[in-house]
Amino acid sequence: MHKLTDTAKADTNTVHTAMNSFPAEDTKTEDLVKTYDDLYVQDNFGTLDYPVGVSYLDLSKSYMNRIRWHWHEEMEVLIINNGLAEVSTDDASYSLKPGQGIIINQNVLHSIRSMNEKNCTFYSLVFHPDFLFGYKGNYLQTQFLLPIQNFHLFKILVLNESNPWHERMLDAINDTIAANLTKQFGYEIATKGYLCRFWSEMISRLPQLGTAPPPHASLDEQRVKQAMLFIRKHHAEAISLDEIAESVHISKSECCRCFARTLQMTPFEYLMKYRIFEATRKMIENLNSPASIADIALSVGFNNISYFNKLFKKFLGCTPTYYRTHKIPSRETAKNTGPFNIPII
């Protein structure tokens, strides 16, 4: 195994040994490590011609050691490097340790967080299946892609090296990651080969995927996704529960039930927590030219500064002023403390 950079360095007992071609020693750490803000805010990954993205993520560099609820058209595979991670969907949570991987199917609502205060790092491979199967309706798509896309029980699959079938998929994924980190000549072609090997292994055992938890809230998930997008777009405005429900064409009571079944909170709670999150993000991003607390509250949709202070203290355990003055400089924002211990936004 080639020696890894300090950022990507890991004990071979905890990182799958098929990763045998990592970045050279002179690879810059800042070129390798990605965070939530510069990765998962993307609408897509890679390019139209090469829809593949590989990143090494350090959750300590993401706010509250987590990646918020999100989804994307691409399939994602994570390989845990250090620490313990929890990947959550609308109906289940999965704990992962070093050496384990997890497949997240297309358009699955999910979030990722560190399970303790120790640093958690992992490799993320995101790719669009069209890269493997080309134009719509051809033989390969019909035979090998549609069965996965239409198999609604398949949302998440945890990969363990102790399972020979999983180990073969991990081998292919690790080869893909290594190829895309080193970017040697022809790595795009090699990537397609590795991913085809991964896909062949995955679909060969498709019937066994039936043991995955059933997506009992698939319609709820679709509605909540749409409502989340509406809230994210209009959170700074004076939006009501009526408007949130109307954005997904359902009643207020049904909207509340969908959120309760999917995120275990009300639409209003999600809106308030999202606004508080955005307020802390603005504090962090504008330390050199800080706005007043009142202006920040107004910019995220709070017209009442007292109510903003009350909710801020409820969620983060301190006032906005104390948070900006003490917690941001001391990096306490990266710790899993307070009511944000569960994936919330």
Side-chain angles (χ1 to χ4, degrees), residues 68 226-240 243-244 267-282 285 295-303 308 311 345:
R68 300 191 267 177
Q226 190 174 342
M228 287 169 65
L229 291 177
F230 178 82
I231 290 172
R232 292 178 185 182
K233 182 177 180 181
H234 299 283
H235 72 274
E237 305 169 16
I239 58 177
S240 65
E243 291 172 309
I244 296 172
F268 184 75
E269 286 176 303
Y270 179 86
L271 172 61
M272 293 300 104
K273 290 179 178 180
Y274 190 85
R275 284 174 171 173
I276 295 297
F277 185 98
E278 287 299 302
T280 60
R281 184 181 61 80
K282 290 188 176 188
E285 291 179 350
D295 286 342
I296 290 175
L298 185 63
S299 72
V300 297
F302 287 99
N303 294 322
F308 171 72
L311 284 184
I345 51 177

Coordinates of all heavy atoms in Angstrom, one line a residue, residues 68 226-240 243-244 267-282 285 295-303 308 311 345:
R68 N -26.1 17.7 6.5 CA -27.6 17.8 6.7 C -28.4 16.9 5.8 O -27.8 16.3 4.9 CB -28.0 19.3 6.3 CG -27.3 20.3 7.2 CD -28.0 21.7 7.0 NE -27.3 22.4 6.0 CZ -27.7 23.6 5.6 NH1 -28.8 24.1 6.1 NH2 -27.1 24.3 4.7
Q226 N -40.2 17.8 -1.0 CA -40.7 19.0 -1.7 C -40.9 20.2 -0.7 O -40.6 21.3 -1.0 CB -42.0 18.7 -2.4 CG -42.5 19.7 -3.3 CD -43.7 19.3 -4.1 OE1 -44.0 18.1 -4.3 NE2 -44.4 20.2 -4.7
A227 N -41.5 19.8 0.5 CA -41.7 20.8 1.5 C -40.4 21.4 2.0 O -40.3 22.6 2.3 CB -42.5 20.3 2.7
M228 N -39.3 20.6 2.2 CA -38.0 21.0 2.6 C -37.4 22.0 1.6 O -36.9 23.0 2.0 CB -37.1 19.8 2.8 CG -37.4 19.0 4.0 SD -36.5 17.4 4.0 CE -34.8 18.0 4.2
L229 N -37.6 21.7 0.4 CA -37.1 22.6 -0.7 C -37.8 24.0 -0.6 O -37.2 25.1 -0.7 CB -37.2 22.0 -2.1 CG -36.4 20.8 -2.4 CD1 -36.7 20.3 -3.7 CD2 -34.9 21.2 -2.3
F230 N -39.1 23.9 -0.4 CA -39.9 25.2 -0.2 C -39.4 26.0 1.0 O -39.2 27.2 0.9 CB -41.4 24.8 -0.1 CG -42.2 26.0 0.1 CD1 -42.7 26.8 -1.0 CD2 -42.7 26.4 1.4 CE1 -43.5 27.9 -0.8 CE2 -43.5 27.5 1.6 CZ -43.9 28.3 0.4
I231 N -39.2 25.3 2.1 CA -38.7 26.0 3.3 C -37.4 26.6 3.1 O -37.1 27.7 3.5 CB -38.8 25.0 4.5 CG1 -40.2 24.7 4.9 CG2 -38.0 25.6 5.7 CD1 -40.4 23.6 5.9
R232 N -36.5 25.8 2.5 CA -35.1 26.3 2.3 C -35.1 27.6 1.4 O -34.3 28.5 1.6 CB -34.2 25.2 1.7 CG -34.0 24.1 2.6 CD -33.1 23.0 2.0 NE -33.0 21.8 2.9 CZ -32.3 20.7 2.6 NH1 -31.7 20.6 1.4 NH2 -32.2 19.7 3.5
K233 N -36.0 27.6 0.4 CA -36.0 28.7 -0.5 C -36.7 29.9 0.1 O -36.3 31.1 -0.1 CB -36.8 28.3 -1.8 CG -36.9 29.4 -2.8 CD -37.6 28.9 -4.1 CE -37.7 30.0 -5.1 NZ -38.4 29.5 -6.3
H234 N -37.7 29.7 1.0 CA -38.5 30.8 1.5 C -38.3 31.0 3.0 O -39.1 31.7 3.6 CB -40.0 30.6 1.2 CG -40.3 30.5 -0.2 ND1 -40.3 31.6 -1.1 CD2 -40.5 29.4 -1.0 CE1 -40.6 31.2 -2.3 NE2 -40.7 29.9 -2.3
H235 N -37.3 30.4 3.7 CA -37.2 30.5 5.1 C -37.1 31.9 5.7 O -37.5 32.1 6.8 CB -36.0 29.6 5.6 CG -34.7 30.2 5.3 ND1 -34.0 30.0 4.1 CD2 -33.9 31.1 6.0 CE1 -32.9 30.7 4.1 NE2 -32.8 31.3 5.2
A236 N -36.5 32.8 4.9 CA -36.4 34.2 5.3 C -37.7 35.0 5.2 O -37.7 36.1 5.7 CB -35.2 34.9 4.5
E237 N -38.7 34.4 4.6 CA -40.0 35.1 4.5 C -40.9 34.7 5.6 O -40.7 33.7 6.3 CB -40.6 34.7 3.1 CG -39.6 35.0 1.9 CD -40.1 34.5 0.6 OE1 -41.3 34.1 0.6 OE2 -39.3 34.3 -0.3
A238 N -42.0 35.4 5.7 CA -43.0 35.1 6.7 C -44.0 34.0 6.2 O -45.1 34.2 5.8 CB -43.8 36.3 7.1
I239 N -43.5 32.7 6.1 CA -44.3 31.7 5.6 C -45.1 31.0 6.7 O -44.7 31.0 7.8 CB -43.4 30.6 4.8 CG1 -42.3 30.0 5.7 CG2 -42.7 31.2 3.6 CD1 -41.5 29.0 5.1
S240 N -46.2 30.4 6.3 CA -47.1 29.8 7.2 C -47.2 28.3 7.0 O -46.8 27.8 5.9 CB -48.5 30.4 7.1 OG -49.1 30.1 5.8
E243 N -49.0 27.6 3.8 CA -48.2 27.7 2.5 C -47.3 26.5 2.4 O -47.1 26.1 1.2 CB -47.4 29.0 2.6 CG -48.2 30.3 2.5 CD -47.4 31.5 2.8 OE1 -46.7 31.6 3.8 OE2 -47.5 32.5 1.9
I244 N -46.7 26.0 3.5 CA -45.9 24.8 3.4 C -46.7 23.6 2.9 O -46.3 22.9 2.0 CB -45.3 24.5 4.7 CG1 -44.3 25.6 5.2 CG2 -44.5 23.2 4.7 CD1 -43.8 25.5 6.6
P267 N -43.5 20.6 10.7 CA -43.0 21.5 9.7 C -42.5 22.8 10.3 O -41.4 23.3 9.9 CB -44.1 21.8 8.7 CG -45.0 20.6 8.9 CD -44.9 20.1 10.3
F268 N -43.2 23.3 11.3 CA -42.8 24.5 12.0 C -41.5 24.3 12.7 O -40.6 25.2 12.7 CB -43.9 24.9 13.0 CG -43.6 26.2 13.7 CD1 -43.8 27.4 13.0 CD2 -43.2 26.3 15.0 CE1 -43.5 28.6 13.6 CE2 -42.9 27.5 15.6 CZ -43.1 28.7 14.9
E269 N -41.3 23.2 13.4 CA -40.0 22.9 14.1 C -38.9 22.8 13.1 O -37.8 23.4 13.3 CB -40.1 21.5 14.8 CG -40.9 21.6 16.1 CD -41.0 20.2 16.7 OE1 -41.5 19.3 16.0 OE2 -40.6 20.1 17.9
Y270 N -39.1 22.2 11.9 CA -38.0 22.2 10.9 C -37.7 23.6 10.4 O -36.5 23.9 10.3 CB -38.5 21.3 9.7 CG -37.5 21.3 8.6 CD1 -36.5 20.3 8.6 CD2 -37.5 22.1 7.5 CE1 -35.5 20.2 7.7 CE2 -36.5 22.1 6.5 CZ -35.5 21.2 6.6 OH -34.6 21.1 5.6
L271 N -38.7 24.4 10.2 CA -38.5 25.8 9.8 C -37.7 26.5 10.8 O -36.7 27.2 10.4 CB -39.8 26.5 9.5 CG -39.8 28.0 9.2 CD1 -39.0 28.3 8.0 CD2 -41.2 28.5 9.1
M272 N -38.1 26.4 12.1 CA -37.3 27.2 13.1 C -35.9 26.7 13.2 O -35.0 27.5 13.3 CB -38.0 27.0 14.5 CG -39.4 27.6 14.5 SD -39.4 29.4 14.3 CE -40.1 29.5 12.6
K273 N -35.7 25.4 13.2 CA -34.3 24.9 13.3 C -33.5 25.3 12.1 O -32.3 25.6 12.2 CB -34.3 23.4 13.5 CG -34.9 23.0 14.9 CD -34.9 21.5 15.1 CE -35.4 21.1 16.5 NZ -35.4 19.7 16.7
Y274 N -34.1 25.3 10.9 CA -33.4 25.7 9.7 C -33.0 27.2 9.8 O -31.9 27.5 9.4 CB -34.3 25.5 8.5 CG -33.5 25.6 7.2 CD1 -32.8 24.6 6.7 CD2 -33.5 26.8 6.5 CE1 -32.0 24.7 5.5 CE2 -32.7 27.0 5.4 CZ -32.0 25.9 4.9 OH -31.3 26.1 3.7
R275 N -33.9 28.0 10.3 CA -33.6 29.4 10.4 C -32.4 29.6 11.4 O -31.5 30.4 11.2 CB -34.8 30.2 10.9 CG -35.8 30.4 9.8 CD -37.1 31.0 10.4 NE -38.0 31.5 9.3 CZ -39.2 31.9 9.5 NH1 -39.7 32.0 10.8 NH2 -40.0 32.3 8.5
I276 N -32.4 28.9 12.6 CA -31.3 29.0 13.5 C -30.0 28.5 12.9 O -29.0 29.1 13.1 CB -31.7 28.2 14.8 CG1 -32.9 28.8 15.5 CG2 -30.5 28.2 15.8 CD1 -32.7 30.3 16.0
F277 N -30.1 27.4 12.2 CA -28.9 26.9 11.5 C -28.3 28.0 10.6 O -27.1 28.2 10.5 CB -29.2 25.7 10.8 CG -28.0 25.0 10.1 CD1 -27.4 23.9 10.8 CD2 -27.5 25.4 8.9 CE1 -26.3 23.3 10.2 CE2 -26.4 24.8 8.3 CZ -25.8 23.8 9.0
E278 N -29.2 28.6 9.8 CA -28.7 29.6 8.8 C -28.1 30.8 9.6 O -27.2 31.4 9.1 CB -29.9 30.1 7.9 CG -30.3 29.0 6.9 CD -29.2 28.7 6.0 OE1 -28.6 29.7 5.3 OE2 -28.7 27.5 5.9
A279 N -28.7 31.2 10.7 CA -28.2 32.3 11.5 C -26.7 32.0 12.0 O -25.9 32.8 11.9 CB -29.1 32.5 12.7
T280 N -26.5 30.7 12.5 CA -25.2 30.4 12.9 C -24.2 30.3 11.8 O -23.0 30.7 11.9 CB -25.2 29.0 13.7 OG1 -25.7 28.0 12.8 CG2 -26.0 29.1 14.9
R281 N -24.7 29.9 10.6 CA -23.8 29.8 9.4 C -23.4 31.3 9.0 O -22.2 31.5 8.7 CB -24.5 29.2 8.3 CG -23.7 29.0 7.0 CD -24.5 28.4 5.9 NE -25.6 29.2 5.5 CZ -25.6 30.2 4.7 NH1 -24.4 30.6 4.2 NH2 -26.6 30.9 4.4
K282 N -24.3 32.2 9.1 CA -24.0 33.6 8.8 C -23.0 34.2 9.8 O -22.1 35.0 9.4 CB -25.2 34.4 8.7 CG -26.1 34.1 7.5 CD -27.3 35.1 7.3 CE -28.0 34.8 6.1 NZ -29.1 35.8 5.8
E285 N -19.5 32.7 8.8 CA -19.0 33.2 7.5 C -18.6 34.7 7.6 O -17.9 35.1 6.7 CB -20.1 32.9 6.4 CG -20.3 31.5 6.1 CD -21.3 31.3 5.0 OE1 -22.0 32.2 4.7 OE2 -21.4 30.1 4.5
D295 N -30.0 42.2 12.9 CA -30.0 42.1 11.5 C -29.9 40.6 11.0 O -30.5 40.2 10.0 CB -28.8 42.8 10.9 CG -29.0 44.3 10.9 OD1 -30.2 44.8 11.1 OD2 -28.0 45.1 10.8
I296 N -29.1 39.8 11.7 CA -29.0 38.4 11.4 C -30.4 37.7 11.6 O -30.8 36.9 10.8 CB -27.9 37.7 12.2 CG1 -26.5 38.2 11.8 CG2 -28.0 36.2 12.1 CD1 -25.4 37.6 12.7
A297 N -31.0 38.0 12.7 CA -32.3 37.4 13.0 C -33.3 37.8 11.9 O -34.1 36.9 11.4 CB -32.8 37.9 14.3
L298 N -33.3 39.0 11.5 CA -34.2 39.5 10.5 C -33.9 38.8 9.1 O -34.8 38.4 8.4 CB -34.1 41.0 10.3 CG -35.1 41.7 9.3 CD1 -36.5 41.5 9.8 CD2 -34.8 43.2 9.2
S299 N -32.6 38.6 8.8 CA -32.3 38.0 7.5 C -32.7 36.6 7.4 O -32.7 36.0 6.3 CB -30.7 38.2 7.3 OG -30.0 37.3 8.2
V300 N -32.9 35.9 8.5 CA -33.3 34.5 8.4 C -34.8 34.3 8.8 O -35.3 33.1 8.9 CB -32.5 33.6 9.3 CG1 -31.0 33.6 8.9 CG2 -32.6 34.0 10.8
G301 N -35.6 35.4 8.9 CA -37.0 35.3 9.0 C -37.6 35.5 10.3 O -38.8 35.4 10.5
F302 N -36.8 36.0 11.3 CA -37.3 36.4 12.6 C -37.6 37.9 12.7 O -36.6 38.7 12.6 CB -36.4 35.9 13.7 CG -36.3 34.5 13.9 CD1 -35.3 33.7 13.4 CD2 -37.2 33.8 14.7 CE1 -35.2 32.3 13.6 CE2 -37.2 32.4 14.9 CZ -36.2 31.7 14.4
N303 N -38.8 38.3 12.9 CA -39.1 39.7 13.1 C -39.1 40.1 14.6 O -39.0 41.3 14.9 CB -40.5 40.0 12.5 CG -40.6 39.8 11.0 OD1 -39.6 40.2 10.3 ND2 -41.7 39.3 10.5
F308 N -36.3 35.1 18.7 CA -35.0 34.5 18.1 C -34.1 34.1 19.2 O -33.5 33.0 19.2 CB -34.4 35.6 17.2 CG -33.0 35.2 16.7 CD1 -32.8 34.2 15.7 CD2 -31.9 35.8 17.2 CE1 -31.6 33.8 15.3 CE2 -30.6 35.5 16.7 CZ -30.5 34.5 15.8
L311 N -35.4 30.9 21.0 CA -35.2 29.7 20.2 C -33.7 29.3 20.1 O -33.3 28.2 20.2 CB -35.8 29.8 18.9 CG -37.3 29.7 18.8 CD1 -37.8 29.8 17.3 CD2 -37.8 28.4 19.4
I345 N -31.7 18.9 10.1 CA -32.0 19.7 9.0 C -31.2 19.2 7.8 O -31.3 19.8 6.7 CB -31.6 21.2 9.2 CG1 -30.2 21.3 9.7 CG2 -32.6 21.8 10.2 CD1 -29.8 22.7 9.9

